[in-house]
Structure formats: C-alpha cells, structure tokens
Amino acid sequence: MIFGHIQQPHTYAYLPAAFKQAIHYLQQTDMQSLPVGRHDIEGDLLYVNVMAFDTQPAEQKQAEVHQEYIDIQYLITGAERIGFGLENSDNPVAKAYDADNDYYLVASVRDESEVLLAPGMFAVFFPEQPHKPGCCIGQPAALKKAVIKMHKSLL
C-alpha cells in the first residue's frame, strides 16, 4: 500500500512512470466535473472508474481483492475510511474470483489496518492486497471518488 496526496509530488516522485502518468491524469483532469463511469487513459491497461455513493459502516462491508490490477483510490469529495491488510490465506473468501471484473471478496482481513482519505489523497493497493473502501468516518456521508485501474504488466 502506498499513501499520498497529489499536491505533494516529492512523496511519489520516485515511483515508476505508470504511477506518475496516473497521478498526472488526476492533476490535469477536472475530477469534480468528470461524470460517473469508466474513462480510458490507455484502454484496458490504464483507466479510471469515477463513482459517487454514500459511505457505510465498515462492519457492513467486505474487502475486495484483485489479481490483475493495481488500484489507485483517489478521493474527490467527502471523507473515507479504507480498511486494508496483507495477502493472507486466513482471510476467508466470501465470494469466489470473478475474472471478468478482476475481484473476489473476503469476509474479514487478518490484522486489518486503516487509512483515512480527505480530498486530494490517494491510496494504492497492489494485487492480492485486500482493501475495504467506502467505509464511513463517523456517520455515512456522500463521497465522489476515482479509482484508477492499472494493469500489473505496466510495472
């Protein structure tokens, strides 16, 4: 997991070119106005899903895990708590792998940690790292976020 803010380039200046390209996209695009849905950057290799929804209590959510894509979760508006952990065979699978959508769900994450996002912040989750986005901080509230999907082959 990598944690940063797009206005602090010194914190991600050393990352590979694909990460810099993704962050540059976030900086150069009017994310507030970008409509909900998928927007291609480099076809299926690098694209962004924009979504708007209400956060939920963490205990009502399950963690997602990807095998092919790296997630760059970027908060546009609102506040968000994301639970995350390391790959662990003790994490009980709640939904089998869906290859078309590149995810499976786990019911719980052993030794779960959390990160809190404010607008402009991003968190990067690598394949096989379980993460539970969209959790509320306090009460459920509306948010808008972008998730850049980066195929692992770009690294």
Side-chain angles (χ1 to χ4, degrees):
M1 201 271 301
I2 297 172
F3 180 56
H5 193 289
I6 64 167
Q7 298 304 321
Q8 297 174 340
H10 60 282
T11 63
Y12 55 82
Y14 56 88
L15 293 176
F19 283 102
K20 291 178 187 173
Q21 179 183 6
I23 293 169
H24 181 76
Y25 176 87
L26 295 171
Q27 292 171 322
Q28 299 303 312
T29 304
D30 181 359
M31 300 304 292
Q32 294 275 359
S33 299
L34 197 63
V36 169
R38 177 178 164 150
H39 305 274
D40 287 350
I41 301 170
E42 280 190 38
D44 287 338
L45 290 176
L46 188 65
Y47 61 92
V48 61
N49 286 325
V50 177
M51 54 198 81
F53 58 89
D54 288 343
T55 57
Q56 297 177 325
E59 48 282 348
Q60 294 179 7
K61 299 184 67 68
Q62 295 177 325
E64 60 190 55
V65 184
H66 308 292
Q67 293 182 356
E68 297 297 319
Y69 284 89
I70 298 160
D71 269 9
I72 302 174
Q73 305 244 346
Y74 172 75
L75 193 60
I76 300 168
T77 61
E80 179 181 25
R81 176 186 312 274
I82 301 177
F84 68 95
L86 298 174
E87 176 182 6
N88 190 313
S89 60
D90 290 341
N91 295 336
V93 174
K95 181 179 183 206
Y97 182 65
D98 175 344
D100 290 337
N101 295 300
D102 185 43
Y103 82 97
Y104 63 93
L105 298 176
V106 294
S108 62
V109 177
R110 185 171 180 200
D111 301 323
E112 186 173 352
S113 296
E114 295 180 334
V115 62
L116 304 180
L117 295 185
M121 293 179 173
F122 63 87
V124 179
F125 300 98
F126 292 94
E128 298 301 338
Q129 288 184 328
H131 51 287
K132 186 171 27 174
C135 300
C136 59
I137 302 172
Q139 296 299 312
L143 65 72
K144 183 176 183 184
K145 70 182 298 181
V147 179
I148 292 186
K149 306 294 283 184
M150 177 187 304
H151 195 270
K152 64 185 182 183
S153 67
L154 291 177
L155 299 183

